[in-house]
Amino acid sequence: MSKGNPKMVKRFSKPIIFVHWLNAAAFFVLYISALPMYTEYFDWLYAVFGGPAGARLVHRIAAIFFVLPVVIILLADPKGFFFWIKQIMSWKKHDFAFFKEFPKEFFGGHANIPKQDFYNAGEKVNSILTILTAAMLICSGFVMWFPQFFPQAAVMWAYPIHNIGLGLSAAVVIGHIYLSVGHPGSKASLRGMTKGDVPEEYAKAHHGRWYDELKDAEKKDDKRIG
Amino acid sequence: MTNHWNDLQHTDCAMIIGANPAENHPISFKWLLKAKGKGGKIISVDPRYTRTSQQADIYGSLRSGSDIAFMGGLINYMLEKELYHKEYVIAYTNASFIVDEKYSFEDGLFNSYDEAKRSYDKTSWAFKKDEEGKILKDLTLEDPRCVFQLMKKHYSRYDVETVIGVTGTDKKTYLEIAKTFGATGKPGKSGTILYAMGATQHTVGTQNVRIYAMLQLLLGNVGMPGGGVNALRGESNVQGSTDFGLLYHNVNGYMEVPTASPEEATYKGFLEKNTPKSGYWRNKPKFYTSMLKAYYGNNATAQNEFGYQYMPKLTPKKDYSHMRLFDAMYAGELEGLLMFGTNPVVGGPNAGKEKEALSKLKWMVAVDLWETETSAFWQEGAGSKPADIQTEVFFLPACASFEKEGSITNSGRWMQYRWQAIQPKGESKADLEIIHLLALRLKELYQNSTKPADTPIKAMSWDYGHGNHPDIDLVCREINGYDMNTKKQISLFANLKDDGSTCSGNWIYCGFYTEEGNLSKRRDHTDEGMGNFLNWSWAWPANRRILGNRASCNPSGQPWSKDKTVVYWDAAKRLWVGNDVADFPKDRAPDIEGGTDAFFMLPTGKGGLFAGVNEGPFPEHYEPYENPVSNVFSNIQLNPAVKYGLEEMNAKGEAKDFPIVATTYRISEHWQSGAMTRNQPWLSELASHMFIEMSEELAKEKGIKNKDKVIVTSARGKVEAYALVTKRFKPHKLKEKTVHQIGMPWHFGYKGIVTGETANRLTPHIGDANTTIPEYKAFLCDVRRA
Amino acid sequence: MAAEYLKFVDVTKCDGCRACMVACKNWNDLPPEYEEFQGSIQSHEQLTAHTWNVLTFNEQETTNGGFEWLFRHQSCLHCVQAGCEKACPEDAISHTKFGSVVVDADKCVGCGYCVQGCQFNVISLATYKDKRGKEYRKAQKCTLCTDRLEQGLQPACVTACHTDCLIYDEREAVLSEANSRLLQVKDRFPNANIYNPQGIKGTTTVYLLADKPSVYGLPENPKVALSQVVWKDYAQPIGKAMLGVTTMAVIGAVISNSIAKVKNGDKGVDHHE
Amino acid sequence: MEMNVTRRQFLKLSGAVAATLAVVELGFNENEAKAKANSFKIAGLKPTPTICPYCAVGCGILVYSKDNTVVYTEGDPDHPINEGALCSKGTTVRQVYTSDRRQEKPMYRAAGSSKWEEVEWDWALDKVAQKMKETRDRTFQTMENGVTVNKTEAIACMGGAALDNEETYLLSKLMRAGMGLTYIEHQARI
């Protein structure tokens, strides 16, 4: 951002930002408190929680905060929520084309990515996987928390499902974080989830179709005003 | 037990009646199942299906209190089908003896009954003798006045239909039992009868045991390995404590306590009256004098009748047994009571009343490991008002069996030593030390007295070492006995003297502590054959393991069966040899006079099919004190020789108010009154609740469901507990009517980790005509939902 | 893994004394658990973390009008393919050389997955308190007295048993004893069977049952659950692999981007901003 | 089922207990067993043989004690009757010692009192001896129907089925031959 103040465009509403981070924080705590049980390389983490019982308690508190965002966003910004859902369900040619070019960009090469929507195809996949894995984790987690209300077979199935959910979601989240924080090309996107706006240049480069829509809308507005 | 635990493995058939060894003597099943593995059969006869019944090949049900009918029927069956062991019966029993003319039996009563005294003249049941005083016999067993024929006639009334109409046993099962057990009458086969309190705790308890013995004699099972009549005794040393005179009517070694009758005013008169002219008991003066020497040491001299006059004398005919003791206490005749590990407030008959009786005492001493319901009888928890009870109570903490050393005698008469594993817990002390310290104090209190009345306690010898802790080795040496001059240990009771030159605290134990040392400490577990383990500990008498084992051989001294050899006559050595010590004079040849007197301790040397106990020479069926049906066999309802005690202690219930038969019993996980076991966590966990077992049929009639709380009432009290509705109890279908029975454990009281109401609040205060053992096993009650 | 030695429970020899229950508590120093009245003489409804074997009592009317009171020494079967072992996410449950299935208390985190994973309701969680009074949980169950086996002693329950209902002996001896006992008891117990379920490759505790397994509350034909196979054999390794792959991808990306940065100076990345 | 049980030496009359743990040799690796022996709960402990205090079968039990408590009890494998097996009661004999319900101090309850007081042994024994003497002396009968009887019928002694033989001997000697009691009864009657 060495070029002084670029022009900014609004991207996410405050409630969306809030629940995103709440969700992220809860996930992070859930993830950390689950890791020592998931693999022996992280057994040292038990000490951090004061033993397995502590980890279990933290995990369960975090689980509640993990489920909360859905409720909050439905109350605070239902429009934004349904927009998101609608967006991620819409798949067009340019979305599929995204994946052909993405790896080049990912590994720092030169990519020729077609113009993307408000959510680019990568983000759409991320969202879908997030919803799916969250559903897996929440449902199976509930069964595991209250095994006495479910048949033994159901409880036994909950373990692999929770497990697969964790594997998938961890993979998704790691990729997601890297792309939004670590990857040099996507850094600007982080600002969308913190301040709520992104540089126009970034919107143009990464979400071309959305940028075009924005520009179209501006023109319309200009006309009306004019 | 005539035999012992390991010997059970040799049986061809075990009839378990009035006992539940799988629950109350579980390790017996180690050996019973070995027998079963070799093709032996197990029969369980019990009012309810027990853990024993599950391991049995045949289970037969009977109504509580109908054992004599059941066994009488079996005797009749054996005689009718000629399954008895004829050669044995002729040689070793009094079957051939001719009975005196006075003997008769009619409508439930034998001759010479005195209704006012409720007793018989037992001398009227004698054998006919020739001029020389020899008993007349008919070895063909055909004389109508011989024991065999009289017995046959007596039990001909016990036909199968009549019997099962009284016992309620299924006919097919009854016949199967008769056939199976009858098969042991074959020479060389052996069957055993195992009994316990289910037999003895009846108004006809003695006759129950007598009739088992008669059946066993008929089938030739007494003296055989895998045979015998075996009382499964319930406490670790109830055998020893009985051997050592802790009953009012016996001194050590089953000898008489003197009475204040004129004949017994002198020692000479006492011995004359109580020493039989024949049989081994002829030696009684040697045993008695040696005991008095052990008691009074050098203060017992020929001049002072060996201290005979120091011994307390009972009032003739007076009954001092447990229930009469409590009657006397209730009547205020007793001031003080010392108790060593006993808990009558839970274990006594009509326990509620026995508890009341305790409050009439001035002082009471309880020596125990635990605070029991009895030592705490004055507490509010016991339902008492402490302020109203003036009894001073002393509790002296005793230590446990492995916190001290000493020996105990098991049911098979093995005297086994226990070593000290740890110091007594806390301030508790060994009973030996407590008794010792009391004795020292008492002797000190009396040492300067010049009153003649105080001579006995002053004369009593008490030399068990210096200091507070008695030297147990000295006690052991005195029990065995030694030569008063040389101080050498006596090797066997045969060497005891009646001139005061030997002492022996208990003649039947003479031989356990010889110059070789204390043989009860032996731990050589080599089996010399037939599992008799002659070098493991020591068994009284004379280390014999199977009593009456002469009878395991035919009259000429050879075993009835090679597989069942314990002793035999070695003609070359002219000795009885084998893997047991012969219960017979070791050099008495089979072909000389008395050579076939297999039961040589008895005056006639023969097993008594006909023997006079208080209610007659042949066991006859009478109904329990409380029962719901009439006696089918005669018009005599209750055992005619049973004595009634204090009326206030023994309210009677009638069948119209209390139509259900009840019995008490024990379970595997608790012991006796529960003082030992309900104070321990793991056993309390295994059996935590007082329950009443009943049939599904009765439960349905009464609207009771499993696990409901129910109240059982008898004429004497009530008990609330859980209902345990089970298929293991079935109504008894008798000829007269169908009778329901319930059962309950008697282990519970209000102290301990787990508590429950006390079953003995329901039981009657009446007992057997000979032993006065209470009739816990058959009484009337009613049951309803709580 | 087939064990060299097997525990054999011949229920037809049991006389219900329950020494096995307390022998276990005595050796393993387990606390008592006083339960409500069960409506029979059975003491505990089922196995718990402090009660590793329970004698069950079962009254059965037989088809021919007879009656049997069936006893069973119920404890861990030490399955060759053990559900609890499969369920454990911490690999805290394993087989010893004796074939016994044991919980490593150091590894156990008290998650309770094994409780759900056992088809015989054998394993459960015990709650303890540490020095500071904080509660923690560990899975507990019969160990087959592995510590005794290591010393050449028999399991405590077997040592206490007086009827030879419980035997611990060489595999072949046990299996042939089981077969000959089965023939002996068939007359009285027509439904008698040897319970050594092959769906879980057999058990290290083999039963001779007097009646069908279901009469004793045992699964007739237990198998390793598909869910456990999916989890232990696929989900867990794949999940771990996915974590690994993703992590490797991120690391790879960081490295390759750094290389690109060095090559292109700041230009290469700046165009995005 | 052949079990090779180590044979135990005959116990010398001195009372030396040479009992070692009988090892059923199952053929496992001995070295490893030795390595773990230290954590083994009865490692190195010398058991003391005793006989079960409950029923009259008379089973052998080995008692393992350490640090002045009983840490374990087990059936005596050399005992001919039980051969190492025990029932539930015999198995739990350890808790006869360890139960916190054992009474460890003499206690006294005064007439009309609603509670026990802990007392000293000497005091309790002195008092009991005095009570016995007072009652005996007051109720003692020397003659009955012209026969010397030397008895008191106002004191009863009960119990003893759980005492050792030596104890029952001294008890009946003291109570009958010394004190002249006639009411001497115990559990064999009930």
Side-chain angles (χ1 to χ4, degrees):
Chain A
M1 296 178 214
S2 54
K3 285 185 181 174
N5 287 339
K7 196 180 174 204
M8 304 302 284
V9 290
K10 188 173 188 262
R11 190 158 161 81
F12 291 116
S13 71
K14 286 273 179 302
I16 288 186
I17 292 170
F18 175 72
V19 297
H20 172 270
W21 289 112
L22 181 63
N23 188 253
F27 182 84
F28 181 73
V29 176
L30 283 166
Y31 181 71
I32 296 295
S33 58
L35 261 190
M37 190 157 155
Y38 192 65
T39 144
E40 54 279 16
Y41 304 122
F42 291 98
D43 277 358
W44 53 271
L45 271 174
Y46 278 135
V48 176
F49 295 102
R56 200 155 33 239
L57 181 67
V58 169
H59 197 79
R60 286 176 180 184
I61 294 169
I64 295 165
F65 285 101
F66 187 68
V67 179
L68 265 184
V70 184
V71 184
I72 296 173
I73 196 67
L74 276 173
L75 294 174
D77 186 6
K79 228 177 96 191
F81 179 76
F82 288 114
F83 174 72
W84 174 51
I85 298 293
K86 210 177 122 195
Q87 273 272 312
I88 63 172
M89 290 305 169
S90 115
W91 283 83
K92 304 222 171 82
K93 210 175 157 194
H94 60 264
D95 291 309
F96 297 107
F98 177 87
F99 293 107
K100 229 166 74 188
E101 293 297 320
F102 180 71
K104 290 181 200 160
E105 169 161 348
F106 185 74
F107 289 108
H110 181 73
N112 196 4
I113 296 172
K115 284 179 168 185
Q116 294 293 304
D117 289 331
F118 184 89
Y119 294 106
N120 69 32
E123 288 166 339
K124 286 184 185 177
V125 169
N126 178 56
S127 296
I128 291 168
L129 285 175
T130 304
I131 292 170
L132 272 178
T133 54
M136 280 168 82
L137 288 166
I138 292 168
C139 293
S140 58
F142 189 75
V143 172
M144 286 158 70
W145 193 343
F146 302 103
Q148 61 270 38
F149 302 127
F150 299 94
Q152 193 180 359
V155 182
M156 283 167 74
W157 273 110
Y159 300 141
I161 292 169
H162 207 70
N163 205 163
I164 294 166
L166 169 62
L168 283 172
S169 61
V172 168
V173 165
I174 288 172
H176 177 64
I177 293 172
Y178 174 69
L179 284 172
S180 48
V181 180
H183 191 68
S186 309
K187 273 182 182 163
S189 69
L190 183 60
R191 189 184 162 98
M193 252 322 160
T194 51
K195 301 255 163 76
D197 54 7
V198 289
E200 213 174 65
E201 270 302 300
Y202 166 82
K204 198 175 170 183
H206 290 261
H207 304 280
R209 294 171 68 94
W210 171 52
Y211 183 73
D212 292 349
E213 280 167 31
L214 274 180
K215 286 296 140 184
D216 284 355
E218 259 174 39
K219 278 173 198 162
K220 278 176 198 163
D221 283 355
D222 288 351
K223 274 178 195 163
R224 214 163 38 226
I225 294 163
Chain B
M1 284 172 92
T2 55
N3 297 46
H4 59 94
W5 301 106
N6 293 66
D7 181 65
L8 294 173
Q9 66 185 304
H10 303 304
T11 195
D12 295 301
C13 184
M15 173 146 53
I16 304 169
I17 180 167
N20 181 8
E23 301 196 38
N24 300 323
H25 304 84
I27 305 304
S28 65
F29 259 81
K30 182 182 180 68
W31 302 104
L32 284 167
L33 290 180
K34 281 216 161 63
K36 196 174 163 185
K38 290 186 278 187
K41 299 280 181 225
I42 300 176
I43 298 167
S44 162
V45 182
D46 201 292
R48 69 187 171 121
Y49 193 97
T50 65
R51 287 180 245 188
T52 298
S53 314
Q54 179 58 27
Q55 276 303 343
D57 297 281
I58 311 171
Y59 164 69
S61 154
L62 89 173
R63 171 176 58 103
S64 263
S66 63
D67 301 59
I68 291 176
F70 191 95
M71 298 303 288
L74 292 186
I75 288 183
N76 186 40
Y77 183 92
M78 306 308 164
L79 295 175
E80 265 187 359
K81 308 268 177 194
E82 300 197 356
L83 294 174
Y84 60 96
H85 188 340
K86 195 165 182 189
E87 195 179 357
Y88 181 107
V89 167
I90 293 170
Y92 303 144
T93 76
N94 62 14
S96 61
F97 291 16
I98 308 295
V99 175
D100 191 272
E101 278 91 6
K102 282 188 223 152
Y103 167 83
S104 68
F105 175 79
E106 208 184 331
D107 191 23
L109 287 176
F110 295 90
N111 59 299
S112 81
Y113 184 62
D114 180 337
E115 206 176 339
K117 290 186 179 159
R118 293 188 66 80
S119 70
Y120 288 100
D121 172 12
K122 284 193 274 181
T123 60
S124 71
W125 307 320
F127 299 119
K128 232 180 183 172
K129 292 178 179 167
D130 62 16
E131 301 81 44
E132 291 170 33
K134 275 199 165 170
I135 295 167
L136 294 175
K137 297 174 188 174
D138 173 22
L139 295 178
T140 67
L141 307 183
E142 274 164 14
D143 188 308
R145 291 298 292 179
C146 78
V147 166
F148 187 81
Q149 290 299 333
L150 291 175
M151 177 175 72
K152 200 171 175 181
K153 189 177 158 207
H154 189 91
Y155 292 109
S156 64
R157 299 150 53 235
Y158 290 70
D159 62 283
V160 175
E161 290 300 336
T162 310
V163 164
I164 63 171
V166 173
T167 63
T169 315
D170 165 68
K171 185 175 178 183
K172 198 173 137 236
T173 308
Y174 187 81
L175 290 171
E176 200 187 341
I177 290 170
K179 198 176 141 206
T180 308
F181 199 69
T184 67
K186 229 176 125 203
K189 294 281 174 197
S190 62
T192 181
I193 293 183
L194 307 180
Y195 73 92
M197 309 321 270
T200 58
Q201 290 174 341
H202 288 284
T203 41
V204 291
T206 304
Q207 293 288 43
N208 280 342
V209 178
R210 274 260 310 133
I211 199 163
Y212 303 158
M214 287 170 66
L215 181 66
Q216 288 297 67
L217 286 171
L218 277 177
L219 295 172
N221 285 333
V222 180
M224 290 291 288
V229 186
N230 293 299
L232 313 183
R233 308 210 66 177
E235 284 115 337
S236 57
N237 200 31
V238 71
Q239 184 65 53
S241 54
T242 313
D243 298 338
F244 281 93
L246 285 181
L247 292 172
Y248 86 90
H249 68 291
N250 279 148
V251 297
N252 301 345
Y254 303 94
M255 298 188 291
E256 293 76 7
V257 177
T259 68
S261 66
E263 306 102 290
E264 299 186 17
T266 64
Y267 187 39
K268 189 160 170 275
F270 167 80
L271 290 177
E272 254 165 37
K273 185 181 163 196
N274 292 297
T275 307
K277 301 287 170 284
S278 56
Y280 199 78
W281 281 112
R282 290 190 319 276
N283 296 303
K284 193 178 282 179
K286 297 173 186 169
F287 310 149
Y288 217 99
T289 305
S290 295
M291 182 190 76
L292 291 174
K293 287 296 289 180
Y295 279 178
Y296 303 110
N298 292 331
N299 296 321
T301 62
Q303 289 72 40
N304 72 0
E305 301 173 282
F306 300 109
Y308 172 71
Q309 301 300 351
Y310 302 153
M311 292 284 281
K313 295 195 183 62
L314 307 177
T315 301
K317 307 270 181 207
K318 181 170 171 179
D319 185 349
Y320 297 77
S321 67
H322 177 98
M323 284 186 289
R324 300 298 86 82
L325 187 160
F326 271 93
D327 288 354
M329 195 188 294
Y330 192 82
E333 293 166 23
L334 285 168
E335 283 186 14
L337 170 67
L338 297 120
M339 294 187 301
F340 290 81
T342 187
N343 191 11
V345 167
V346 174
N350 197 4
K353 275 282 178 192
E354 291 203 345
K355 191 205 91 178
E356 262 181 64
L358 291 172
S359 61
K360 315 242 172 147
L361 292 168
K362 287 196 172 131
W363 53 269
M364 181 175 109
V365 183
V367 184
D368 216 308
L369 280 70
W370 327 91
E371 183 193 23
T372 62
E373 287 79 0
T374 304
S375 55
F377 80 95
W378 43 272
Q379 292 177 357
E380 273 174 29
S384 301
K385 279 191 195 144
D388 294 350
I389 295 174
Q390 297 306 306
T391 316
E392 279 183 90
V393 185
F394 300 85
F395 183 94
L396 306 179
C399 69
S401 54
F402 48 81
E403 298 163 25
K404 61 184 180 186
E405 62 178 301
S407 69
I408 55 171
T409 304
N410 78 356
S411 208
R413 297 163 286 99
W414 294 13
M415 181 196 196
Q416 306 187 90
Y417 210 76
R418 306 197 278 205
W419 283 266
Q420 184 176 11
I422 193 165
Q423 288 301 311
K425 191 172 187 184
E427 285 187 25
S428 67
K429 290 184 193 294
D431 294 81
L432 194 76
E433 190 167 334
I434 297 172
I435 296 161
H436 180 67
L437 293 173
L438 263 183
L440 293 183
R441 275 169 172 74
L442 286 163
K443 279 191 83 81
E444 199 185 330
L445 287 175
Y446 283 104
Q447 69 181 352
N448 296 321
S449 166
T450 51
K451 287 199 318 205
D454 298 341
T455 326
I457 179 85
K458 285 172 67 188
M460 178 182 68
S461 67
W462 202 271
D463 304 313
Y464 306 115
H466 302 291
N468 285 342
H469 198 81
D471 184 344
I472 192 166
D473 193 58
L474 295 175
V475 182
C476 291
R477 284 169 173 272
E478 181 174 304
I479 291 170
N480 179 85
Y482 50 84
D483 185 298
M484 295 299 286
N485 301 314
T486 66
K487 305 289 177 204
K488 281 234 157 70
Q489 293 300 111
I490 307 288
S491 59
L492 198 60
F493 48 77
N495 302 324
L496 294 175
K497 301 275 173 13
D498 59 6
D499 60 1
S501 62
T502 60
C503 75
S504 171
N506 192 341
W507 76 275
I508 58 176
Y509 282 82
C510 186
F512 94 90
Y513 198 137
T514 64
E515 284 298 303
E516 283 173 55
N518 187 335
L519 303 183
S520 72
K521 291 180 179 174
R522 293 187 300 178
R523 285 178 57 84
D524 178 356
H525 59 184
T526 317
D527 179 8
E528 298 86 352
M530 293 304 278
N532 284 326
F533 299 98
L534 293 182
N535 293 314
W536 179 273
S537 71
W538 184 86
W540 74 259
N543 207 24
R544 283 169 196 143
R545 307 287 161 134
I546 297 174
L547 294 184
N549 56 24
R550 161 71 181 88
S552 70
C553 293
N554 60 21
S556 51
Q558 297 312 306
W560 293 109
S561 157
K562 277 272 172 273
D563 303 340
K564 299 199 178 188
T565 303
V566 274
V567 294
Y568 57 94
W569 175 251
D570 185 329
K573 289 187 192 155
R574 296 203 63 75
L575 282 175
W576 287 93
V577 295
N579 50 46
D580 193 3
V581 178
D583 189 10
F584 204 62
K586 64 180 177 204
D587 52 359
R588 189 189 287 177
D591 51 1
I592 65 162
E593 170 83 24
T596 60
D597 287 350
F599 304 102
F600 80 110
M601 292 292 289
L602 302 175
T604 64
K606 306 292 182 197
L609 291 170
F610 182 96
V613 293
N614 287 345
E615 56 279 85
F618 291 128
E620 168 70 6
H621 172 76
Y622 304 106
E623 288 293 338
Y625 175 62
E626 289 183 342
N627 77 300
V629 290
S630 51
N631 188 355
V632 173
F633 289 94
S634 72
N635 287 309
I636 308 296
Q637 200 66 15
L638 179 69
N639 180 345
V642 158
K643 303 282 197 297
Y644 301 105
L646 195 65
E647 219 180 307
E648 282 172 88
M649 292 288 283
N650 191 31
K652 188 180 181 188
E654 299 299 336
K656 63 176 171 31
D657 307 316
F658 303 102
I660 301 165
V661 175
T663 188
T664 63
Y665 45 75
R666 300 193 286 135
I667 56 173
S668 210
E669 298 77 9
H670 285 300
W671 190 62
Q672 310 297 13
S673 74
M676 288 285 280
T677 53
R678 284 186 292 106
N679 279 307
Q680 292 181 48
W682 288 327
L683 290 173
S684 294
E685 171 192 20
L686 284 186
S688 320
H689 306 279
M690 171 68 184
F691 57 82
I692 310 287
E693 273 185 300
M694 65 184 74
S695 69
E696 291 175 341
E697 292 81 354
L698 175 63
K700 200 175 164 198
E701 248 177 57
K702 298 280 185 182
I704 294 165
K705 285 194 292 296
N706 198 18
K707 298 197 214 185
D708 278 354
K709 279 272 192 176
V710 292
I711 292 172
V712 182
T713 52
S714 80
R716 295 155 294 275
K718 75 178 173 87
V719 164
E720 187 174 327
Y722 287 106
L724 197 165
V725 180
T726 172
K727 297 180 198 304
R728 295 177 294 101
F729 247 126
K730 291 281 173 209
H732 303 299
K733 292 192 176 95
L734 311 184
K735 197 178 173 199
E736 190 178 317
K737 62 182 172 196
T738 292
V739 169
H740 287 293
Q741 183 163 356
I742 63 169
M744 65 200 85
W746 62 272
H747 300 297
F748 286 91
Y750 76 98
K751 289 274 175 191
I753 297 170
V754 292
T755 58
E757 296 201 358
T758 298
N760 275 321
R761 288 177 167 257
L762 304 172
T763 51
H765 217 246
I766 193 163
D768 174 67
N770 298 272
T771 63
T772 61
I773 290 175
E775 188 156 65
Y776 294 110
K777 290 291 182 270
F779 56 94
L780 289 181
C781 70
D782 200 7
V783 59
R784 63 172 195 271
R785 274 182 70 169
Chain C
M1 181 177 61
E4 204 181 331
Y5 287 81
L6 296 178
K7 175 172 156 184
F8 179 46
V9 184
D10 180 350
V11 303
T12 65
K13 281 189 173 176
C14 177
D15 67 2
C17 80
R18 298 200 268 204
C20 50
M21 287 184 67
V22 278
C24 175
K25 296 228 165 186
N26 189 15
W27 178 256
N28 296 298
D29 296 312
L30 297 172
E33 295 176 304
Y34 308 104
E35 293 206 357
E36 290 301 298
F37 181 61
Q38 303 286 318
S40 78
I41 64 166
Q42 190 168 321
S43 57
H44 297 73
E45 195 184 351
Q46 57 186 29
L47 299 177
T48 72
H50 296 310
T51 303
W52 298 349
N53 77 68
V54 167
L55 198 79
T56 61
F57 293 82
N58 193 342
E59 295 185 358
Q60 285 286 313
E61 260 154 8
T62 56
T63 42
N64 58 2
F67 172 79
E68 297 289 354
W69 198 11
L70 302 177
F71 312 138
R72 181 170 78 95
H73 163 84
Q74 178 192 12
S75 73
C76 181
L77 285 90
H78 299 280
C79 315
V80 173
Q81 288 189 338
C84 58
E85 185 184 19
K86 275 241 180 273
C88 181
E90 294 284 336
D91 292 330
I93 302 181
S94 61
H95 280 84
T96 68
K97 63 180 169 180
F98 307 109
S100 54
V101 178
V102 295
V103 183
D104 182 336
D106 292 337
K107 285 188 180 172
C108 174
V109 297
C111 67
Y113 293 8
C114 51
V115 177
Q116 300 297 332
C118 174
Q119 300 172 71
F120 303 97
N121 295 321
V122 163
I123 196 163
S124 39
L125 293 177
T127 304
Y128 303 94
K129 278 194 177 145
D130 66 15
K131 281 178 217 147
R132 288 167 298 165
K134 233 173 77 185
E135 286 190 347
Y136 64 97
R137 303 189 301 181
K138 298 278 174 195
Q140 288 286 13
K141 70 168 193 68
C142 159
T143 67
L144 199 63
C145 285
T146 299
D147 55 344
R148 289 173 66 95
L149 299 180
E150 282 167 348
Q151 297 294 320
L153 294 174
Q154 304 218 339
C157 56
V158 175
T159 304
C161 180
H162 68 276
T163 61
D164 287 347
C165 159
L166 302 182
I167 285 173
Y168 187 74
D169 202 355
E170 287 173 15
R171 159 177 291 273
E172 291 314 315
V174 161
L175 295 178
S176 80
E177 169 77 0
N179 282 316
S180 73
R181 283 291 300 164
L182 179 64
L183 292 176
Q184 287 169 37
V185 304
K186 270 283 184 188
D187 268 356
R188 176 161 172 184
F189 304 106
N191 293 331
N193 63 92
I194 294 167
Y195 192 70
N196 183 20
Q198 292 306 308
I200 49 174
K201 298 273 191 290
T203 49
T204 307
T205 299
V206 173
Y207 278 93
L208 173 62
L209 298 175
D211 210 330
K212 292 191 289 258
S214 57
V215 169
Y216 294 96
L218 287 166
E220 293 280 350
N221 192 14
K223 287 194 179 76
V224 178
L226 179 61
S227 53
Q228 290 191 328
V229 175
V230 167
W231 187 37
K232 198 73 172 186
D233 300 344
Y234 298 97
Q236 268 204 337
I238 291 171
K240 283 183 191 171
M242 282 178 76
L243 267 181
V245 167
T246 315
T247 312
M248 288 315 289
V250 169
I251 292 168
V254 169
I255 292 168
S256 59
N257 275 301
S258 306
I259 292 167
K261 199 174 174 182
V262 170
K263 249 190 213 164
N264 305 338
D266 276 353
K267 251 171 77 188
V269 286
D270 273 356
H271 76 275
H272 286 303
E273 285 184 309
Chain D
M1 306 275 149
E2 185 62 37
M3 305 267 182
N4 184 10
V5 178
T6 56
R7 293 293 158 188
R8 191 168 300 156
Q9 287 188 328
F10 177 83
L11 282 171
K12 296 283 181 285
L13 294 170
S14 63
V17 181
T20 54
L21 183 71
V23 174
V24 182
E25 288 165 10
L26 293 167
F28 298 132
N29 186 334
E30 264 186 37
N31 290 332
E32 191 173 335
K34 271 179 194 150
K36 291 208 175 175
N38 291 334
S39 62
F40 196 57
K41 107 182 217 181
I42 51 172
L45 298 184
K46 206 197 253 176
T48 307
T50 189
I51 302 295
C52 182
Y54 295 109
C55 84
V57 173
C59 298
I61 297 176
L62 298 179
V63 181
Y64 293 85
S65 47
K66 183 165 88 177
D67 302 332
N68 213 27
T69 189
V70 177
V71 293
Y72 188 57
T73 52
E74 189 169 283
D76 181 349
D78 284 351
H79 197 284
I81 296 175
N82 59 310
E83 296 179 335
L86 287 172
C87 73
S88 54
K89 290 195 289 288
T91 298
T92 54
V93 139
R94 168 186 173 190
Q95 292 193 327
V96 173
Y97 188 88
T98 59
S99 170
D100 57 10
R101 300 182 63 84
R102 275 281 294 274
Q103 292 298 328
E104 300 182 25
K105 288 274 288 177
M107 298 191 294
Y108 171 69
R109 182 260 176 185
S113 167
S114 61
K115 60 176 201 317
W116 290 111
E117 312 159 35
E118 280 190 1
V119 293
E120 293 306 315
W121 267 106
D122 277 338
W123 183 89
L125 289 167
D126 286 344
K127 280 289 253 189
V128 170
Q130 274 168 26
K131 294 273 165 202
M132 288 175 75
K133 182 173 190 297
E134 275 168 31
T135 300
R136 175 192 174 277
D137 291 356
R138 190 160 9 89
T139 60
F140 205 70
Q141 292 170 259
T142 52
M143 299 294 280
E144 182 176 300
N145 299 328
V147 177
T148 307
V149 291
N150 280 332
K151 65 176 173 182
T152 172
E153 299 204 338
I155 302 175
C157 179
M158 286 176 54
L163 299 186
D164 290 349
N165 286 320
E166 297 76 13
E167 294 168 340
T168 60
Y169 173 70
L170 289 193
L171 186 62
S172 70
K173 179 174 177 176
L174 173 64
M175 296 302 168
R176 183 178 279 126
M179 293 297 287
L181 267 57
T182 54
Y183 279 112
I184 297 174
E185 280 285 283
H186 83 286
Q187 291 93 331
R189 188 79 70 192
I190 57 172

